Amino acid sequence: MKRKGPTSANTISRLPKYIRLMEELEAQGFDHISSGSIARILGMTASQVRQDLTQFGSYGAQGYGYNVEGLKSNLKRVMGLHRQHNVAIMGAGSIGKTLLCHMRFQENNYHVVAAFDTNEELIGKSLNGTPVYHPCQLDAVHAITPIDICVLSVSAEHAKMCARQIEKAEIPAIWNLTNVDLALKGNTVIVENMHFLDSLFGLTYYLEESRPGV
Amino acid sequence: MKRKGPTSANTISRLPKYIRLMEELEAQGFDHISSGSIARILGMTASQVRQDLTQFGSYGAQGYGYNVEGLKSNLKRVMGLHRQHNVAIMGAGSIGKTLLCHMRFQENNYHVVAAFDTNEELIGKSLNGTPVYHPCQLDAVHAITPIDICVLSVSAEHAKMCARQIEKAEIPAIWNLTNVDLALKGNTVIVENMHFLDSLFGLTYYLEESRPGV
DNA sequence: TAGATTGTTAATCGATTAACAATC
DNA sequence: TAGATTGTTAATCGATTAACAATC
């Protein structure tokens, strides 16, 4: 898995789409596919597909294309998905609970080790098999079962405070589902934002742009 | 609101961040801010901020900066957020219900006019004030209250089928929350994807990349 | 006025696309 | 072998950054 210098964020953001396509093709019984076909299905150019894939080594064969199963597992390895990651959910309200029950963490190789919430009715119980603790137990839980990724699904008003707490606990990564820019000072913790409103606003922009009158 | 040619997708994707910052600054009582300060807070360059903002006209004043309230409302207008949009939710399961109850559509100028689900127990009732219909009522509802955006929050297996139905009903935009690439043939409908797994995979990549041993 | 900061033009940087020899 | 398709280099395109005159 030789790398050719740092890989651009654009390329990284496309890897999940390749992986998803390979899984679909695999389910449909295909065993190989060309860069041209990948490009056509995903709406990109064959050049771009090959440029992306060769960042991590040579996965294809001239005259044949890419092995579907091989490409899938190679890309999963590149993204670190072959390794199981421990996940904790900070905020077991509506969004947190929904994720916990429906995101199929387990089958994607994530292990949900704990949820944290201030709701007294939840603490000490278990949600979908995951124990719920008070946030003050974060360090204690992390000491026993190291948390790799903390899902931040608390209300907007608590987001920054909780993020600081996660940073202080030295949990390495935050998956931020609140509509808040966390702006953490130290760049020790890796943050990925899923801003629902940003996405909806983007859609609204393109919708308005397409209006005949405007 | 003179435009200078087509605006890049990169610029568009940054507009919600400017809007959010302006709302925060407004709440904190600031009435103006320079491109340099915006850049520092959002982690970009002053040049980029000015390049982005001048795409839509001149919102700033030399020696002073940008008026917080003015910039916010101008950018909202650019994104079409000054206009109310009718939203329907396709799939009132866990994710759909959570969105319906917690996304604060109303205060962001979206009006949720209907939800659709095949669950007999929900049909005919109302969820958080929104009536629930069977999906076969989509055309009928759309005929009476034109739907601008359909939120797709059904299970992965039903995603493509529902998307086709939405397209057939001539609803102009789909906000796709399923982990499925819809790949609609006709490019009449505008699709914005919110792929939870893509985002989580991206985070996992950067987490793995940061591991000392790798 | 002097200092600050914009809007804009030019320079740089990076990402995408095109082309093609290598080769399965 | 002939056809197909990769990996890679070069060309193009677009986005970001730098610089600075205009001006509040």
Side-chain angles (χ1 to χ4, degrees):
Chain A
M1 200 149 11
K2 56 197 163 176
R3 298 293 179 90
K4 306 179 165 184
T7 303
S8 82
N10 286 353
T11 293
I12 300 306
S13 72
R14 284 188 292 264
L15 298 186
K17 303 188 193 310
Y18 297 130
I19 293 174
R20 194 162 44 225
L21 178 58
M22 291 310 119
E23 283 176 341
E24 255 190 64
L25 291 171
E26 203 180 11
Q28 288 167 31
F30 290 90
D31 57 19
H32 69 282
I33 186 168
S34 70
S35 58
S37 300
I38 295 174
R40 194 168 22 76
I41 297 169
L42 296 180
M44 36 211 275
T45 66
S47 264
Q48 186 170 61
V49 172
R50 293 202 297 277
Q51 289 279 16
D52 280 346
L53 301 184
T54 53
Q55 290 293 306
F56 313 103
S58 302
Y59 296 162
Q62 279 103 328
Y64 175 80
Y66 299 86
N67 178 274
V68 168
E69 202 285 316
L71 184 54
K72 183 199 72 173
S73 53
N74 272 316
L75 292 182
K76 281 195 161 191
R77 181 169 287 271
V78 164
M79 297 204 86
L81 303 175
H82 60 304
R83 194 189 297 282
Q84 189 174 74
H85 290 89
N86 284 341
V87 169
I89 300 199
M90 177 64 75
S94 190
I95 304 140
K97 217 185 305 178
T98 299
L99 284 174
L100 194 54
C101 300
H102 296 273
M103 251 223 22
R104 312 209 171 283
F105 282 106
Q106 199 62 59
E107 41 194 272
N108 284 291
N109 214 7
Y110 297 91
H111 181 43
V112 186
V113 297
F116 297 92
D117 204 288
T118 52
N119 184 344
E120 295 288 350
E121 290 183 20
L122 295 173
I123 296 168
K125 307 234 171 77
S126 101
L127 269 177
N128 201 31
T130 303
V132 183
Y133 303 94
H134 189 278
C136 69
Q137 298 290 307
L138 184 63
D139 286 279
V141 171
H142 184 45
I144 293 166
T145 335
I147 297 163
D148 297 306
I149 297 170
C150 195
V151 181
L152 190 62
S153 50
V154 300
S155 66
E157 56 190 321
H158 296 119
K160 288 187 185 188
M161 197 260 289
C162 287
R164 275 193 295 270
Q165 204 184 341
I166 295 164
E167 191 182 31
K168 214 166 118 250
E170 294 187 347
I171 291 167
I174 295 176
W175 191 30
N176 177 27
L177 298 176
T178 71
N179 281 318
V180 173
D181 284 313
L182 298 179
L184 294 164
K185 299 293 149 39
N187 38 2
T188 50
V189 59
I190 300 163
V191 177
E192 168 84 18
N193 297 301
M194 277 267 298
H195 288 317
F196 288 81
L197 278 179
D198 287 22
S199 174
L200 182 58
F201 286 1
L203 178 60
T204 307
Y205 173 84
Y206 291 108
L207 177 62
E208 284 296 301
E209 195 192 45
S210 75
R211 282 163 59 90
V214 184
Chain B
M1 202 151 6
K2 59 198 160 176
R3 298 292 178 90
K4 304 180 167 185
T7 303
S8 81
N10 287 353
T11 293
I12 300 306
S13 71
R14 285 188 292 265
L15 298 186
K17 303 189 192 310
Y18 297 130
I19 293 174
R20 195 162 41 226
L21 177 60
M22 291 310 120
E23 283 175 341
E24 253 189 65
L25 292 171
E26 203 179 12
Q28 287 167 32
F30 290 90
D31 56 19
H32 70 280
I33 186 168
S34 70
S35 57
S37 300
I38 294 173
R40 192 166 25 74
I41 297 169
L42 297 181
M44 33 210 279
T45 65
S47 263
Q48 186 170 59
V49 173
R50 293 202 296 278
Q51 288 279 17
D52 280 346
L53 301 184
T54 53
Q55 290 292 307
F56 313 102
S58 303
Y59 296 160
Q62 278 103 328
Y64 176 81
Y66 299 86
N67 179 273
V68 167
E69 202 284 316
L71 182 55
K72 182 199 70 173
S73 53
N74 272 316
L75 292 182
K76 282 195 160 191
R77 180 168 288 271
V78 164
M79 298 204 83
L81 303 175
H82 60 302
R83 193 189 300 280
Q84 190 175 73
H85 292 88
N86 285 341
V87 170
I89 300 200
M90 177 64 74
S94 191
I95 305 140
K97 217 186 306 180
T98 298
L99 284 175
L100 193 56
C101 299
H102 296 273
M103 247 219 31
R104 311 209 172 282
F105 282 106
Q106 199 61 60
E107 41 194 272
N108 285 290
N109 214 8
Y110 296 92
H111 181 43
V112 185
V113 298
F116 297 91
D117 204 287
T118 51
N119 184 343
E120 295 288 349
E121 290 183 20
L122 295 172
I123 296 167
K125 307 233 171 78
S126 102
L127 269 177
N128 202 31
T130 302
V132 183
Y133 304 93
H134 190 278
C136 69
Q137 297 290 306
L138 184 63
D139 286 279
V141 171
H142 184 45
I144 294 166
T145 337
I147 298 163
D148 297 305
I149 297 170
C150 195
V151 181
L152 190 62
S153 50
V154 299
S155 65
E157 55 191 321
H158 296 118
K160 288 187 186 189
M161 196 260 289
C162 286
R164 275 193 295 272
Q165 202 184 343
I166 295 164
E167 193 182 31
K168 214 166 117 249
E170 295 188 346
I171 291 167
I174 295 177
W175 192 31
N176 177 26
L177 298 177
T178 72
N179 281 319
V180 173
D181 284 313
L182 298 180
L184 294 164
K185 301 293 149 40
N187 40 1
T188 49
V189 57
I190 300 163
V191 178
E192 168 85 18
N193 296 301
M194 276 268 297
H195 288 320
F196 289 82
L197 279 179
D198 287 21
S199 175
L200 181 58
F201 286 0
L203 177 61
T204 306
Y205 173 85
Y206 290 108
L207 176 62
E208 284 296 301
E209 194 192 46
S210 75
R211 285 164 57 91
V214 185

